[in-house]
Amino acid sequence: MVAVLVVVVAGLLHAYRNTNVLTADRLCGGLVSAADAEAVLPGAGRVSAKSDGVADDLLDTECEVEKSSVAIGGGKGTLSVRVSEERGDFPFVEGRWPDPSQASFLSGPVTGGVYEYDGWVLLPEKCWTTKPVILEAHSSEPVPDTTAFGALLTDAARAVAAEAACGDVPKKTGTPLPPRSQKARAASEGRLCGLDGFSVHGQVPADSEVLEAGQAAPADLWSCTVFLGGDSNRPAGEDGFVTYTVARDPLLLAAVEKDPGTRKGTAPGGKQADVVEPQRIVLPCTQGAAYLALEPGLQYTETRQRHPGTPSLDAFFKSFVRSAIKTFDCGTATR
């Protein structure tokens, strides 16, 4: 009898420490699905968290989920989830988010993106204050399943919006669209980054090999980093030459328009546009507005120092806008 009791207790202890058999369905005061957290954090183990859920002040909402196991080779890691404010075009601005050309953007009714360790979903406009508001998550370990990560972010964003009564997040997450390849590949002449008629040849040193990395174009959220092969120093080469971006997602466009710096102006070539910054604009197009942006990399700075004849960023942006206008049919569209 004692032996049986020992076995039962040992079994329960194992289940508690190494599995989610005895774990609540939702963690963080209902903010995060335990099943989604288990799928995002690698390996087998128990997920746990301490949090009061959605805070009275939405921007105080945060939670840390942990996966642990006493079994040899068991899962581990933490997932930090919180609500925060961002500028409208935050995924495409150099800062605390990874290179957008490495993102797997969500395709469908939810606006968001996932990376190897990080992810975000844009909350409904009713949740915004002075700036757009996002639900973000950061993992201490590489996330093995981008679809599961997108599902977790979407589900948590839906829970936040419901608790704060500030809008609805669609239940359907959408399939994350990953970059076309994990490494930069040779660019097609005359079709750089998937845009017909687009090229940087003639603008970069003649002996440069032109490489590209990013998602397939066209898409509602799309980014492409151009690299120059050759003898540039390693840190600059890894950062890239320039990154081009197109965003046609309505919620992200609304976020961009909320930026206090956005003003009426003109695009390269004289077409009317909303201007966020010199190389960040919103153009009216036949199938809806398009945000077009260029972000320089360290390799651009290095190349211009070594080759003074390298054109200004305005020249690179002008040729990009010209090609994007043709691809997205922005030539005759009006406000």
Side-chain angles (χ1 to χ4, degrees):
M1 183 68 176
V2 173
V4 172
L5 183 59
V6 169
V7 170
V8 171
V9 171
L12 291 173
L13 188 61
H14 167 76
Y16 179 78
R17 289 183 174 180
N18 303 304
T19 75
N20 292 300
V21 173
L22 304 177
T23 302
D25 291 339
R26 299 195 69 84
L27 308 168
C28 303
L31 181 62
V32 175
S33 160
D36 287 343
E38 183 180 7
V40 167
L41 291 171
R46 174 179 170 78
V47 292
S48 60
K50 292 182 179 180
S51 172
D52 295 329
V54 179
D56 292 336
D57 182 344
L58 198 58
L59 298 179
D60 289 336
T61 301
E62 59 181 21
C63 174
E64 186 167 285
V65 181
E66 179 181 14
K67 174 177 276 189
S68 60
S69 173
V70 297
I72 297 175
K76 62 178 182 178
T78 58
L79 184 71
S80 299
V81 181
R82 62 178 179 266
V83 175
S84 60
E85 287 183 324
E86 286 280 10
R87 63 175 281 174
D89 53 356
F90 69 95
F92 312 113
V93 179
E94 185 176 5
R96 68 187 184 93
W97 291 95
D99 180 350
S101 68
Q102 296 300 311
S104 294
F105 291 118
L106 303 183
S107 63
V110 177
T111 303
V114 297
Y115 312 81
E116 188 176 13
Y117 292 87
D118 315 279
W120 59 273
V121 161
L122 195 55
L123 291 177
E125 285 190 71
K126 290 181 181 179
C127 302
W128 302 356
T129 52
T130 57
K131 295 180 180 180
V133 177
I134 66 169
L135 184 288
E136 61 178 281
H138 305 273
S139 174
S140 65
E141 305 294 325
V143 175
D145 187 338
T146 56
T147 299
F149 203 4
L152 181 146
L153 289 160
T154 301
D155 180 71
R158 188 183 308 114
V160 168
E163 180 68 21
C166 61
D168 298 318
V169 174
K171 291 184 178 181
K172 187 176 180 181
T173 303
T175 303
L177 297 178
R180 282 185 283 176
S181 63
Q182 293 301 314
K183 295 183 179 180
R185 58 198 173 275
S188 300
E189 174 59 28
R191 202 170 191 275
L192 181 65
C193 295
L195 299 181
D196 288 332
F198 187 36
S199 174
V200 294
H201 288 290
Q203 295 178 301
V204 299
D207 59 347
S208 298
E209 180 188 14
V210 180
L211 308 172
E212 65 180 30
Q215 302 83 24
D220 285 347
L221 293 176
W222 165 90
S223 192
C224 175
T225 296
V226 174
F227 300 83
L228 300 184
D231 60 351
S232 66
N233 71 68
R234 187 174 180 83
E238 291 179 348
D239 193 57
F241 187 74
V242 292
T243 296
Y244 298 103
T245 291
V246 175
R248 297 186 296 164
D249 177 271
L251 191 58
L252 193 135
L253 286 170
V256 172
E257 294 288 1
K258 194 174 179 65
D259 191 294
T262 301
R263 63 193 186 281
K264 302 298 181 184
T266 56
K271 184 174 175 57
Q272 284 191 324
D274 290 342
V275 179
V276 185
E277 291 178 1
Q279 285 93 39
R280 299 181 185 280
I281 63 173
V282 178
L283 272 178
C285 302
T286 299
Q287 297 183 1
Y291 166 83
L292 309 177
L294 179 153
E295 181 82 15
L298 292 176
Q299 198 176 39
Y300 171 80
T301 302
E302 182 205 57
T303 301
R304 205 167 190 206
Q305 289 172 345
R306 298 173 61 189
H307 302 274
T310 302
S312 68
L313 290 176
D314 286 340
F316 284 96
F317 189 54
K318 183 176 182 179
S319 60
F320 169 57
V321 170
R322 185 167 54 244
S323 297
I325 283 175
K326 294 178 181 178
T327 299
F328 300 105
D329 195 14
C330 309
T332 59
T334 59
R335 295 178 182 276

